[in-house]
Amino acid sequence: MPPIAETYSLGVRVEVSKIDEELKKVWQESEGAATRASLVNLAVYSEDAGSLSKNTQLMAKITEDHACRAIVIEADCNARENHVEAWISAHCHVSGVGSKQVCSEQISFLVKGGCTDLLPSIVFSHLDSDLPFYLWWQREFREPMDSQLWAWVDRVIYDSQGWADFRAQMSLLESAEQEANQRIVLCDLNWTRLDSFRFALAQFFDHPASHHNFAKINKLRIDFAPDFRSTAVLFAGWLAAQLNWQSEKTNVPNKFSFASSSGGKIEVELRERLGQPIGEVAMQTSHMEFLVTHAECGDLLEVSRGKQGEKRTPQLMPAGKNDPVSLMSEELMRGGPHHVYLHAVERVRDLL
Amino acid sequence: MNRAADQPEPNPLREGLSARAVPQPCTIVIFGATGDLTHRKLVPALYNLAADGELPPAVEIVGFARRPKTDDEFRSDLEEATRKFSRQSVRDEIWKNFAQSIFYHQSEFEDESGYKALVKRLDEIDKNHGTRGNRLFYFAAAPDQFEPILKNLKAAGLNQTCKGSWARVIIEKPFGSDLASARELNSAVRNSFTEEQTYRIDHFLGKETAQNILVLRFANAIFAPLWNTHYIDHVQITAAETLGVEGRAGYYETAGALRDMVQNHLLQLLCLTAMEPPTDLSADSIRDEKVKVVRSLRRWPRNEIAADVVRGQYAKGAINGEPVVGYRQEKNVNPDSQTETFVALRLYIDTWRWAEVPIYMRVGKRLPKSATDISIHFKKAPAVLFNKDLHDLNVLVIRIQPDEGISLRIHAKVPGTSFRIEPVKMDFHYGTSFGKASPEAYERLLLDAMSGDATLFARRDEVEEAWSFIDPIEEAWHAKKNAPELFFYPAGSWGPEAADDLLARDGRAWRRL
């Protein structure tokens, strides 16, 4: 059973019209030694040359925790002739219980020419029936956004961190959603990237006795790595949305302010620093600082609060990771709608 | 699942981050801190929560026990145990940070002054560590120590809190050894803590699949219409283990399988399987429905108990080819012991839903394999067309442990020109579909207690109703005259033949596990 033993290659090359037939053979040849598992259809679309191999490796890792029918598509939109090549493979992992192998199928496509026009027909023909459809779109969206395709999508996953024009991209997505008349959940990995920092900052305010601090916040500083300004802005947007701050006009990109509902002013400073996408968040009132910063070891956060300059004993919390596998795993595990994200975007759309 | 009355207003920054109630900062005081439960389960569970970022930063742990120890010695003992028993490997930097929140308080459980000193210590912790006067008292000591601990906690004023803070008590099973002792314990608890402050832990309820029973039943429209006497032939609940008494002989000799497993774990599983849909997901709505199930269990006259309840004890035999001694030959077991290591029961729930549907339960030690599951055996399809010769029923199996999952046995035509029908199994495995390991039951339950969610904890009336069902069986077994027989079964078998006869009389057989 050659395709089952391999988890990192594209697998066996097959004729597009015979994909189902060939997949069946794979399972027959496994003679019950492997179990096929699938909770979702996860399609990943990229126009980067060589993405097929890179995404196959990512899928091999993602399927360790998230069994799915993986559909990996690399599109070469500049090719002169329309042509589609296909491969099938399986990512197999020994399950937590017993020694049986649990496998997720992968169907890979190299699409030349036609590009997004061919996408719906490829995807529609190879979805595992009755399962949700998640579309992971790498890089930027561009027109035309096929309404038939979008009507089938349950969750669209993207990373706004690499977008050159956030507003234009969001507007494309929103119009695709409207046209498809479908409630697509927008899953921004740039937002997922903030989970651990949001979690760490939120826990300061779990006790109602600390809620009075919300009205006293007057400063917010966020340190971000080069190319991660949008991540920092989204973080500020989250606080603004949840604490009901209104954005004020500004001309300085990394210094802006919000007005709180009680009329107070919150000054925000974004500082570019080498290191993690978000390196440190400090939120201040006149007498207290809430600080979340990366610990020296990298994958832990130090969280502390106290008066500025005062010696504190920080607590450690998981920092989360920034690689695509970890971000995707986090996103797939969390599920649910992302209303909070949409509210955050609304508050800072003009700053992104 | 729902906020307790003493649960604070939600934190707006938590929206969308977590689908569960948020645990509050608190000090956890563990009575019996040098014991097995603390080392094997509680502290590893708390460490895992800390490592996963689930524990609020201001959670401090105070171990309360008799042996003299310093904080550092206690931390070092716990580190060793956590490295051994934790589900994830211990990271030095996380342990170091976590260990700073662990303290040791040496005192006799009966010594009032020890509790006065505890008050001071807890106040100090509140002041220095931001635990805000919230206290969670975990009773991991021997049950005979519960009463002095409760009395002294009350005398020291530790059952009371300032406005905005809470004090809760977690009690480990056994919740008494019969109805009278359970009532006594409950009233001792009630003298110090209200029912809302009391969390009776049954770790079976913290298991992922036990929680999933409610989801399976009430989030899937296909099962609801079938879940009654019209479509269900019978139900089987099995809790089998290959282990013997494993050093617990002292306790087991006084308890036996009926008290140790049936009164709590198995009846809890039965309740989740048989309860009516609750009006909402609040702890009391769910527990109201569960208690109705126990209350509806048909009671037997003493002389009929032997017909529906079989008790057994393992004799020497072999497990996985390895010879093992009989129960009476185990260390610290009375050589003439009458303690049951196996129980099989046929129960009826006298409600409209379950009228005349037999529920067969069995629990035993030294059985051929370890497995806990619930199986729903549906009635036969009408005996027309090709169903005339079908003998297998459709069976829905909920596997609690190990290999958590759900399977459904249906009939299918065997490919070929003849019309042969065979049973096939559709099988869902948690481990296969969801790669991420489930948290340990204690992790979930500790978080729930810190969050004020009592849904997965037993309420006073549940415990007392369960004992009122169990007591007549125990009384019959211990009667001087005409006590039902204690059957012996070889270790490694599926129990005494009498247990098979219990079903055979009804034309049924235990499910093959």
Side-chain angles (χ1 to χ4, degrees), chain A residues 48-267:
Chain A
D48 292 349
S51 66
L52 218 46
S53 156
K54 197 187 89 191
N55 283 326
T56 297
Q57 292 192 29
L58 294 183
M59 284 297 186
K61 295 258 168 57
I62 290 167
T63 52
E64 282 180 22
D65 283 339
H66 305 278
C68 62
R69 157 76 64 93
I71 301 173
V72 179
I73 304 157
E74 178 183 324
D76 175 3
C77 303
N78 299 320
R80 286 186 185 170
E81 284 180 23
N82 287 2
H83 177 63
V84 180
E85 290 172 50
W87 293 261
I88 57 164
S89 60
H91 301 296
C92 296
H93 313 280
V94 176
S95 80
V97 258
S99 55
K100 198 159 183 171
Q101 289 207 89
V102 178
C103 302
S104 291
E105 293 169 335
Q106 177 175 314
I107 312 172
S108 314
F109 296 96
L110 181 61
V111 182
K112 292 187 175 172
C115 221
T116 50
D117 297 345
L118 294 175
L119 197 55
S121 71
I122 289 171
V123 168
F124 292 161
S125 313
H126 299 100
L127 292 179
D128 201 344
S129 56
D130 300 317
L131 293 177
F133 173 32
Y134 297 177
L135 177 58
W136 180 11
W137 196 280
Q138 296 179 336
R139 305 288 174 201
E140 304 214 336
F141 296 100
R142 59 188 172 79
E143 291 188 288
M145 305 275 276
D146 187 291
S147 61
Q148 219 190 345
L149 172 71
W150 291 96
W152 280 57
V153 175
D154 294 290
R155 301 175 82 85
V156 57
I157 303 167
Y158 52 90
D159 191 345
S160 68
Q161 180 261 332
W163 288 354
D165 185 342
F166 187 94
R167 271 176 284 178
Q169 287 289 301
M170 272 311 270
S171 137
L172 257 179
L173 258 180
E174 283 159 355
S175 52
E177 194 183 5
Q178 257 179 3
E179 212 176 312
N181 199 18
Q182 161 85 344
R183 291 183 62 175
I184 305 169
V185 180
L186 306 185
C187 309
D188 186 351
L189 297 180
N190 204 20
W191 174 250
T192 313
R193 197 170 272 126
L194 290 172
D195 280 357
S196 52
F197 261 85
R198 286 169 55 217
F199 200 82
L201 195 70
Q203 55 80 31
F204 287 123
F205 303 96
D206 283 337
H207 200 280
S210 59
H211 288 191
H212 68 95
N213 284 304
F214 287 141
K216 296 177 185 164
I217 296 165
N218 53 24
K219 274 188 189 158
L220 171 68
R221 175 174 53 76
I222 305 170
D223 290 353
F224 65 93
D227 299 330
F228 287 90
R229 182 183 173 275
S230 63
T231 320
V233 174
L234 273 178
F235 192 89
W238 166 63
L239 284 169
Q242 296 309 106
L243 301 178
N244 200 15
W245 299 343
Q246 300 298 328
S247 171
E248 295 185 328
K249 288 204 167 163
T250 178
N251 294 320
V252 188
N254 287 347
K255 282 196 176 173
F256 48 92
S257 59
F258 292 105
S260 73
S261 51
S262 56
K265 187 172 183 168
I266 300 101
E267 288 176 356

